[in-house]
Amino acid sequence: MNILIVDDKPDNLYLLEVLLKANGHTILSAANGEEALQTLQTEGVDLIVSDILMPVMDGFQLCRRIRADERLRHIPFIVYTATYTGPKDEEFALKIGADSFLLKPCEPDVFMATIDEVMAASRSRDPSRAPAPAPEGEVLKLYSERLVRKLEKKMVDLEAEIQERKRIQEELRQSEEKYRTLVENAEDIVCILQDGQFKFQNQRFEALLGYNPGELINQDFMELICAEDRAMVMERIRRILDGDPRGTPISYRIVHKTGQFIWASSTASRVMWEGRPALLTFIRNITRQKEIEEQFHHAQRLESVGRLAGGVAHDFNNMLGVIIGYAELAKLKIDPQDPLSENLEEILMAARRSIDITRQLLAFARKQATEPKVLDLNRAVEDMLKMLRRLIGEDIDLSWKPGESLGLIRIDPSQVDQILANLCVNARDAISGVGKIVIQTENARFGKDYCMDHPDFIPGEYVLLMVSDTGCGMSRETMARLFEPFFTTKEVGKGTGLGLATVYGIVKQNGGFIHVYSEPGMGTTFRIYLPRHSEAAPLADAEVIGESAMGHGELVLLVEDEPAILNMGKQMLETLGYRVLATADTDEAMTLAERHAGQISLLITDMIMPKMNGHDLAARLCPRYPGLKTLFISGYTTDIIDPAGLCGNGVHFLQKPFSVHQLATSVRKTLENSP
Ligand code: ADP
Ligand code: MG
């Protein structure tokens, strides 16, 4: 058979040609309807197989033209198409005179069977009754219907595509928003480093380091790191890029845009960024933690120095007691006109000055004997003002701003004096020429939250004593060592370095804390917070001292493990007119008490002794010998050796070292006032 294939696609033409040739047919081809009509003018054709969509003239038109042409209308016509808008297409093709409608791609068997069917139908058909095309009007209607169908289908497809795109876009936006929320709201800096440079930074970067977002993109990360820490950071980066597991965070200093250091703790992990290895880095600001750590270490250092200083001062104090005691005894025994008397007086004066220094050390170490009283800080300051004015001289203006409705505090009044004197003298020394010192008081309170951030602070109600000056201020280095005993920036002979150590000790002993603010050239402010006392202030104790300081032959049991003090105490007491049983051993003390049962009027005992402490000794002897009175002596403060606070409630206490006069007074007081 001679078969004419009409298709604008060469590939389609070729495939059909191969198939039909293989089945023994001769093939003619045309690229569109127009070409096909031309071919039909000259060639005899037995069958036409035509595509629908073609340029110049489509398959439907070609079919209509053939069916309208007397000479051609008998040729069977198969529509073979890939464009299918629905079953109406086939209906339409048949209406305009096609013999069959096939959809591409079609199995060769089916295709060949269709050709056979069409040919058989055509042969059995009366050639004069070849299929006639539908009338023009109907065709146009069918055409436009088909077009509308096609368009409608396109529209539906387009709409579906739009919806699908929208869905994806949305989804994309949602997931991007989620990631943005995570990254941009993180407390830590999140950044990407590649080839040592920033490729991405979240907003925290600006808040923590002062650089605008994007300002550092493509800048070297290392330039932001404190020079001393660079090697360590580089090493860690190298290890992570080499595939080492993440490991523990590292701490290093980053330079803020203003030039200040920020302590950072960071972790990093290897990621791919735009196709190449990079570091995903998290950076946390730990500056505050570092400060708190530093403060803690500072406090620890002071504690240990305090313990050391206190221990030394305690032993030294005992020796001073011995020196003073013997010098006093010697003085009592020689004629006041004797030239040696003056020498002894010099020894006594030097020893007393040394006691002041050891007192300061003991105060720093919180071992000084104190007599806390409930008092009004405003009154205590006012009582001192005259003295302070004299202390600071006329060039410096001292102004006093008492706080209103100020709470009460419980402290040894002499300690307030010591604090004020030390702070004012320091302020005076810091002012060259004319300047101003302000003393101010007010109530203060700290909540839990505040104290969490300030490890030195304890929540509660406080009374604030503030001393500020317009002096030279302090460097960071000085601030760091301010409270250390013996730390001074003053010339030899001018400063002892014990002033602030003492203030620190006093404040700590009273449960308070100190805050210092100072900058070089900008003056200094000391804030001292002392716990507010809740009870009403009792009336000040009346000083009761016995008329006669001398003894009348009363028998005294003296127990003291330090032999030098024991001997001295014995001599002092005998000089004062007492009879003395002296021992360094508590067991022997018990034996002595038994042997002199009922004769002993007074037990004088050291508090801290190796075998048994003074308390326990007294607790054993007193119930056994009614009328026996007790005087405790110790180099420690009452709050260390007497946490129960028995001293002052009928229990008598004498701080070592003591003078003959102090001993005389304490002994009389104990004998006459004990219950
Ligand atoms: P000292 O006064 O004997 O030097 P302190 O313990 O009282 O010892 O003070 C220690 C150091 O603290 C001082 O030498 C000084 O450098 C510094 N200092 C204390 N108070 C002030 C102040 N108000 N202004 C400036 N520096 C001060
Ligand atoms: Mg000082």
Side-chain angles (χ1 to χ4, degrees), residues 19-77:
L19 174 68
L20 293 172
K21 269 188 178 160
N23 281 278
H25 301 291
T26 319
I27 303 302
L28 294 164
S29 63
N32 58 53
E34 194 69 56
E35 262 186 50
L37 285 176
Q38 270 168 25
T39 307
L40 287 165
Q41 297 296 321
T42 52
E43 306 289 332
V45 168
D46 301 309
L47 172 69
I48 299 169
V49 177
S50 174
D51 189 18
I52 295 178
L53 270 183
M54 289 175 297
V56 188
M57 184 189 288
D58 71 13
F60 288 137
Q61 240 179 314
L62 173 65
C63 185
R64 273 175 37 72
R65 292 282 285 273
I66 285 168
R67 291 292 175 255
D69 190 321
E70 283 292 328
R71 286 171 304 123
L72 302 176
R73 62 192 300 182
H74 64 279
I75 306 174
F77 195 103

Side-chain angles (χ1 to χ4, degrees), residues 657-668:
F658 43 80
S659 66
V660 177
H661 177 74
Q662 282 169 334
L663 179 65
T665 311
S666 289
V667 168
R668 284 315 321 159

Side-chain angles (χ1 to χ4, degrees), residues 422 425-426 429 490 497-500:
N422 274 309
V425 166
N426 282 345
D429 292 348
K490 297 171 191 173
L498 285 174
L500 290 179

Side-chain angles (χ1 to χ4, degrees), residues 335-393:
D335 181 353
Q337 304 307 319
D338 192 314
L340 274 181
S341 178
E342 223 168 276
N343 292 1
L344 286 170
E345 189 50 40
E346 287 297 322
I347 291 174
L348 280 169
M349 264 161 61
R352 286 192 194 111
R353 270 204 298 279
S354 305
I355 281 185
D356 284 344
I357 293 180
T358 49
R359 277 266 155 79
Q360 290 211 325
L361 274 180
L362 284 169
F364 168 69
R366 297 178 231 164
K367 284 175 181 168
Q368 192 191 31
T370 56
E371 280 181 68
K373 290 195 170 68
V374 176
L375 56 84
D376 172 6
L377 183 59
N378 281 347
R379 275 201 50 192
V381 175
E382 268 149 33
D383 289 348
M384 273 289 278
L385 280 179
K386 232 184 178 173
M387 207 277 271
L388 293 175
R389 289 219 163 89
R390 222 177 300 134
L391 210 57
I392 61 176

Side-chain angles (χ1 to χ4, degrees), residues 631-653:
L631 171 64
F632 292 109
I633 52 175
S634 179
Y636 289 96
T637 57
T638 46
D639 53 43
I640 288 189
I641 49 176
D642 179 36
L646 293 171
C647 296
N649 293 332
V651 174
H652 293 265
F653 176 80

